[in-house]
Amino acid sequence: MNERWIKSALIGVQTESAFEIDGAIGALLARVSESPDPALNFARGSGVLAACELASRSLDPSQQPLPAPAKADPNTLSRSHPWMSAITEVFASGPPHQAYEARLIDQACRRLADVGLTLPPILLPTALHTGQRSQALRSILLPVLGPRGRWLAAQNPDWKYAASVLTASDEDSEMRVWQEANHLDRLAFFRRLRASSAGEARELLQASLSELAATERADFVSAMNVNLHADDAHLLDPLLKDRSRDVRFAAARLLACLPDSAHAQRLIGWVAALLVQKRGLLGKSWQLDAPQSANPTWGQSAIEATRPQHDPLGERAWWLYQLVRQVPLGWWTAQTGMNPQGLVTWAIKSDWSAALIGAWQERVDAKDPEWVEALLGARKPGARTSTSDLLALLPVAQREKHWPNQIDALNKDGGLNDVIASCAPGETLSCHYSKALLTSMLTCFEDDRLRHDYGLRVCLLELASLLHPDALGRVIDLPRRADETPAMADCTLAFERIIHVRAALHTHP
């Protein structure tokens, strides 16, 4: 701000005008300073002059040559396309502030990518800024930027994450992704390579390990679970001594799945010694005990002898938990002859139930739906893995069997958050469940529930972004209450906007 303006503001603007300017700007100042409130006149005048000052600045011409024009993009979404209005609406607010806004951006980009279209030029700056602010959205934004978007990204250092992205047609140059791209792109490339040529991916990672940061090493090691092979042990074994605890555990978890690896043999030996079959009056039964003392060689297998102070488990339970969370779930069914439900029931009755259940919940993945179902029934307060994380491992249709299809019932037991959190980007609820749930969702706008329930208002908007596209046609115009609060009105308008945008995006192009 001009020094004279600051002085006038400090000593008061009741009697003296801080702005004495002739000409057109002076006339404009006179028009905006007709209020009887001197302070308001001062604020308006300083705003006008600040805008004029910005507009009058001149920049030194750059000595750098102008960049070559961007290549034409024949796949750009045209202004006349039926999706244009909806796509523009999705990006109108810039980077997302709410989770449902991020889901809308994700869905819009997926729709464009499905039909091979790219964002129009007018939306590219907003899209690039969105990717700059939200790393989670970059992978879905990159394919729809097109050559013009990548050209634009190259002109702004803040958008460098998108400047060197290669398209799927760049097969001959794909290795440049590994050499030049950001971490997320390299990780995606590594996963693709593991799926097609696990050995080549392993050699590539082996040559680059020393150059990677700890978080990057952990991500790449975890990605080796694709096509995991006995030959991978040569890379994984040394990582049991890595400086990073996350890297050590990621390597140990994979080595435990290779039955011939030295690590797996040590681990099974330790756990098997704790599991004893006993014969009683009712027949044979299994009994598990926790280690009595720490094993000095545990450190070689990513098992820590010192329990973290914040951990709720006792010392022996902490040791048992660390051992069990590495053992593949299949070992337990093979060793005991019990199915997952039987093992979970047995574990709940054990003295070490918290350690066992917590370790199994951490070990389970989408390849073990029977275990997921069994562990969902063993949820306890303070569990290490959330219900939504377990549900996310199940297919959507199987997930929905655990939920009522009424808003009130979901809201009562905290199920709304589980529904929302378990749906990954790109996922929607099934058509049947969506239609049933939508019926009770619409009643929320007819009564007084939204007046004071902030959480319900947020959840309704999240659910609107998750409904199956075929259920969206049932929403036309929501009822409006004469006594609605501004918050209720905002929720109603946002709900309608989400439905209408998504319905437009799912019309045929």
Side-chain angles (χ1 to χ4, degrees):
M1 182 181 283
N2 185 288
E3 288 185 7
R4 184 180 176 187
W5 306 350
I6 295 176
K7 180 179 179 181
S8 298
L10 291 174
I11 65 176
V13 292
Q14 299 297 323
T15 58
E16 179 183 352
S17 173
F19 314 116
E20 298 176 359
I21 299 177
D22 297 327
I25 295 178
L28 176 60
L29 287 172
R31 288 200 300 273
V32 302
S33 304
E34 296 176 350
S35 168
D37 183 354
L40 178 60
N41 291 335
F42 176 83
R44 288 173 174 173
S46 59
V48 167
L49 291 178
C52 292
E53 184 179 18
L54 288 173
S56 66
R57 286 181 179 174
S58 59
L59 301 177
D60 294 332
S62 172
Q63 302 301 317
Q64 300 294 328
L66 291 175
K71 295 179 180 179
D73 186 359
N75 298 318
T76 298
L77 185 75
S78 68
R79 292 182 177 273
S80 60
H81 196 283
W83 293 353
M84 185 62 183
S85 178
I87 296 288
T88 302
E89 179 74 13
V90 167
F91 285 93
S93 302
H97 300 287
Q98 303 291 337
Y100 74 82
E101 294 175 329
R103 288 188 188 271
L104 288 181
I105 292 174
D106 180 278
Q107 292 170 19
C109 292
R110 288 178 190 273
R111 291 295 285 156
L112 288 173
D114 286 345
V115 294
L117 292 175
T118 57
L119 289 168
I122 194 171
L123 297 181
L124 289 175
T126 303
L128 287 164
H129 183 51
T130 297
Q132 175 193 346
R133 297 287 298 275
S134 173
Q135 193 173 56
L137 286 172
R138 289 182 185 178
S139 61
I140 199 67
L141 281 166
L142 294 175
V144 298
L145 294 176
R148 189 183 298 273
R150 293 192 292 277
W151 175 89
L152 188 60
Q155 316 310 316
N156 185 344
D158 291 338
W159 298 338
K160 63 182 180 181
Y161 72 90
S164 61
V165 176
L166 303 176
T167 62
S169 60
D170 296 321
E171 295 178 1
D172 293 340
S173 305
E174 196 173 31
M175 190 56 67
R176 281 177 47 209
V177 173
W178 184 258
Q179 299 168 344
E180 303 174 11
N182 59 63
H183 174 58
L184 289 179
D185 293 330
R186 298 178 78 197
L187 189 59
F189 166 72
F190 181 76
R191 289 194 176 106
R192 293 195 302 270
L193 191 59
R194 280 291 293 187
S196 60
S197 179
E200 184 179 351
R202 180 178 61 251
E203 293 173 3
L204 193 63
L205 178 59
Q206 181 77 70
S208 304
L209 270 175
S210 61
E211 305 168 4
L212 300 176
T215 54
E216 294 175 339
R217 292 199 304 277
D219 287 343
F220 281 112
V221 171
S222 297
M224 290 182 67
N225 67 338
V226 178
N227 285 337
L228 186 65
H229 190 271
D231 292 342
D232 294 325
H234 300 299
L235 182 148
L236 296 171
D237 266 324
L239 295 178
L240 293 174
K241 300 177 182 178
D242 193 90
R243 297 186 306 276
S244 166
R245 179 173 58 183
D246 291 338
V247 175
R248 294 195 301 270
F249 177 62
R253 186 183 177 96
L254 294 181
L255 282 167
C257 295
L258 300 174
D260 295 330
S261 69
H263 174 72
Q265 297 293 324
R266 289 193 302 269
L267 196 65
I268 295 302
W270 289 327
V271 176
L274 301 173
L275 184 64
V276 179
Q277 189 176 39
K278 293 192 174 183
R279 188 183 300 273
L281 295 176
L282 300 178
K284 296 179 180 179
S285 63
W286 290 95
Q287 184 174 340
L288 181 74
D289 196 13
Q292 295 289 340
S293 59
N295 188 320
T297 62
W298 278 349
Q300 303 173 16
S301 300
I303 297 170
E304 299 176 350
T306 303
R307 180 183 67 86
Q309 292 184 353
H310 66 275
D311 198 277
L313 295 176
E315 186 175 52
R316 294 178 63 199
W318 163 250
W319 296 334
L320 179 63
Y321 158 74
Q322 289 188 91
L323 290 168
V324 173
R325 70 173 178 168
Q326 290 193 39
V327 176
L329 296 175
W331 180 85
W332 291 93
T333 55
Q335 184 74 5
T336 65
M338 289 188 278
N339 62 22
Q341 185 59 63
L343 279 161
V344 169
T345 303
W346 166 76
I348 291 174
K349 299 175 182 178
S350 165
D351 294 337
W352 309 101
S353 60
L356 278 172
I357 298 297
W360 287 343
Q361 287 173 341
E362 189 169 334
R363 182 80 223 195
V364 73
D365 60 30
K367 298 192 293 293
D368 308 302
E370 288 185 67
W371 274 96
V372 175
E373 292 283 2
L375 290 168
L376 280 168
R379 297 293 304 153
K380 291 184 178 181
R384 294 175 182 270
T385 305
S386 68
T387 302
S388 58
D389 287 339
L390 288 174
L391 287 166
L393 299 173
L394 296 174
V396 173
Q398 193 171 342
R399 220 179 291 166
E400 291 170 350
K401 296 177 181 178
H402 294 268
W403 300 323
N405 58 13
Q406 298 292 318
I407 282 291
D408 288 337
L410 280 170
N411 199 27
K412 183 178 180 180
D413 62 5
L416 280 175
N417 290 326
D418 287 339
V419 173
I420 294 166
S422 64
C423 287
E427 276 190 334
T428 66
L429 302 171
S430 72
C431 183
H432 175 76
Y433 187 79
S434 295
K435 289 180 177 179
L437 187 61
L438 181 58
T439 299
S440 65
M441 290 171 64
L442 296 179
T443 63
C444 295
F445 295 93
E446 299 173 358
D447 54 38
D448 216 36
R449 275 176 285 180
L450 298 183
R451 185 173 300 277
H452 303 294
D453 196 337
Y454 169 80
L456 181 58
R457 294 197 298 266
V458 172
C459 286
L460 285 176
L461 300 184
E462 293 291 336
L463 290 173
S465 69
L466 292 173
L467 295 172
H468 193 279
D470 292 343
L472 302 178
R474 304 179 64 191
V475 180
I476 305 176
D477 291 314
L478 297 177
R480 303 296 295 271
R481 295 170 57 96
D483 61 344
E484 68 181 8
T485 63
M488 294 168 68
D490 289 345
C491 180
T492 301
L493 292 173
F495 189 91
E496 290 179 335
R497 170 180 170 264
I498 294 169
I499 297 297
H500 294 159
V501 164
R502 294 190 64 224
L505 287 174
H506 286 87
T507 58
H508 293 293

